[in-house]
Amino acid sequence: MSWNPRVDRVAPFRVMRLLEIAQAREAAGHDVIHLEVGEPDFATPEPVLAAGRQALADGQTRYTPATGLPALREAIARHYAEHFGADVDPRRILVTPGASGALLLASQLLAGPGDRVLMADPNYPCNRHFMALAGAEVDAVPVGPESGWQLDAALVARHWQDDTRLAMVASPSNPTGHMLDKPRLEAVAEAVTLRGGELLVDEIYQGLCYDLDPLSVAAISPDAFVVNSFSKYFGMTGWRLGWLLAPEAAVEPLTRLAQNVFLAAPTPSQHAALAAFTPECRDILESRRAELGRRRDALLAGLARLGLAPSLPPQGAFYLWLDISRYSCDSQAFCQQLLEEENVAITPGVDFALLGGERHVRIAFTAGISRLEEAVSRLERFLTRR
């Protein structure tokens, strides 16, 4: 049997195998603390659930336009205006099956054989893999504390080549939780524009910010492409709904792609998402953001006690990128042993970083504070045996 060789450029997502093992241990009666996947222990907000139930009761199960419900596109546009001061035409918004659907559209439009794509290393692995499936070459630029764990304007200038077509940044980022503030994001946009390239910004964790105000590149550059999602801030992971904000000239070809690739995003999910922008739901979401901030601080305090707190704390999302090189240079084995010995599930850094991933792990502060404190105690016990 033969298949497209581009598929071989897609590495397995190791955390999913770890999750499978963790769930098997849980089923066998072990008390597993899940800090491995990007899904907090919050249920979808009740206003969204109620809207989803009503949509089903009303028979809202037929196809929508490929670009999404007009009412939802308008609601997203108002969200940009009210919270980010960005004047966005709803016609520039394409509702997609998850942020993955938005990334698929963007990669197929912007990247192809012979093109190079710049992005940070570490990064969410699917960002690399979508570009590889499009036939592009990814230049994964190593980043660290000196650049705030971000691909900044200086790195764009240093690594841009004649055949570079696209730069992709994520703010807040997965797996590090770090952000680009407005001056740095403006500088990145300018650096890309000066070189005649395209800018794609992953804003999936946009609302989950603790030290800086939420920011969208839509308020900076109308030519940037933006991937966003209802999964993280809005708490709708399993509803599989996201969106792509695109320059006006790109809407028509993207619409054609959407029509052919997935036809339309899930209809009940779109109707449910309309309730995500109500004041009632906003209050719930903001209280959850505050709780995640408290969880971050509790986890940082526990790790500081172990001498493991990162020098640059995460500013957003719900992840912490932890250097374990004092104890191991094999993050996959480290995570496997921690799970087997102490029933704490975290993610090996090799899922996210091509360089240095074996010396890092990602911890998701997606469980309550008492569980995080227990996880730190188990980690301490584990480390004393190393």
Side-chain angles (χ1 to χ4, degrees):
M1 182 181 295
S2 62
W3 48 80
N4 187 334
R6 292 179 188 170
V7 174
D8 293 330
R9 299 171 64 187
V10 178
F13 207 0
R14 297 168 184 85
V15 69
M16 300 312 295
R17 173 57 180 160
L18 197 75
L19 175 62
E20 182 182 343
I21 296 170
Q23 290 173 334
R25 291 186 64 81
E26 206 166 32
H30 296 279
D31 177 27
V32 176
I33 301 177
H34 289 279
L35 308 177
E36 75 276 43
V37 293
E39 188 172 39
D41 55 345
F42 306 131
T44 296
E46 179 55 36
V48 176
L49 292 175
R53 288 190 291 263
Q54 190 62 53
L56 292 173
D58 292 344
Q60 300 287 4
T61 58
R62 303 180 71 83
Y63 293 134
T64 71
T67 53
L69 283 174
L72 183 56
R73 298 166 76 193
E74 291 165 5
I76 295 170
R78 287 194 299 272
H79 176 69
Y80 278 107
E82 292 170 4
H83 296 286
F84 309 110
D87 184 11
V88 173
D89 188 329
R91 292 175 296 179
R92 293 174 51 207
I93 297 166
L94 293 90
V95 179
T96 59
S100 296
L103 183 58
L104 175 63
L105 293 183
S107 63
Q108 292 301 309
L109 181 74
L110 298 174
D115 293 329
R116 308 192 75 86
V117 178
L118 284 184
M119 61 180 68
D121 182 32
N123 206 322
Y124 181 57
C126 295
N127 293 341
R128 296 194 303 270
H129 298 156
F130 270 99
M131 298 302 169
L133 283 173
E137 295 295 327
V138 174
D139 292 322
V141 179
V143 298
E146 67 284 349
S147 67
W149 293 99
Q150 285 284 353
L151 182 69
D152 60 17
L155 290 171
V156 169
R158 188 181 312 159
H159 292 275
W160 197 275
Q161 301 182 46
D162 290 343
D163 50 357
T164 302
R165 172 81 187 279
L166 172 68
M168 182 175 185
V169 298
S171 182
S173 69
N174 176 11
T176 73
H178 293 96
M179 298 174 61
L180 288 164
D181 61 18
K182 186 174 182 181
R184 298 177 75 213
L185 186 55
E186 288 174 335
V188 168
E190 182 180 6
V192 172
T193 300
L194 284 172
R195 289 160 177 81
E198 304 289 350
L199 177 62
L200 175 61
V201 183
D202 170 353
E203 295 184 351
I204 293 169
Y205 296 91
Q206 179 185 55
L208 297 173
C209 306
Y210 312 113
D211 299 329
L212 299 173
D213 291 333
L215 171 71
S216 176
V217 74
I220 293 171
S221 171
D223 296 323
F225 292 78
V226 183
V227 171
N228 211 322
S229 172
F230 285 94
S231 290
K232 307 304 182 180
Y233 176 72
F234 295 101
M236 296 178 63
T237 50
W239 299 76
R240 306 313 306 135
L241 200 65
W243 72 85
L244 177 66
L245 172 61
E248 185 175 351
V251 171
E252 189 277 328
L254 286 169
T255 301
R256 282 189 279 116
L257 282 172
Q259 290 166 344
N260 284 274
V261 172
F262 49 71
L263 192 63
T267 300
S269 298
Q270 293 190 59
H271 283 276
L274 286 168
F277 299 105
T278 61
E280 179 187 7
C281 193
R282 181 79 179 182
D283 289 344
I284 296 170
L285 298 175
E286 282 299 291
S287 69
R288 292 179 175 184
R289 182 182 66 83
E291 169 61 16
L292 286 169
R294 290 188 288 269
R295 293 179 181 186
R296 179 198 67 158
D297 294 344
L299 180 58
L300 287 171
L303 292 172
R305 181 170 57 82
L306 304 184
L308 281 174
S311 60
L312 192 63
Q315 302 148 320
F318 36 68
Y319 306 116
L320 189 148
W321 186 241
L322 187 65
D323 185 342
I324 58 164
S325 58
R326 284 167 49 192
Y327 299 97
S328 175
C329 287
D330 185 342
S331 61
Q332 193 164 356
F334 182 93
C335 292
Q336 181 82 26
Q337 292 161 6
L338 179 61
L339 177 59
E340 292 174 352
E341 296 179 26
E342 295 291 348
N343 291 304
V344 176
I346 61 176
T347 308
V350 288
D351 263 348
F352 302 96
L354 300 177
L355 182 66
E358 69 283 354
R359 301 190 305 275
H360 288 83
V361 296
R362 189 193 74 175
I363 302 178
F365 42 94
T366 48
I369 289 176
S370 63
R371 295 292 278 171
L372 291 173
E373 291 173 343
E374 172 63 19
V376 170
S377 296
R378 295 185 191 184
L379 177 62
E380 181 178 21
R381 192 165 59 217
F382 174 76
L383 294 177
T384 59
R385 301 193 295 270
R386 303 280 75 52

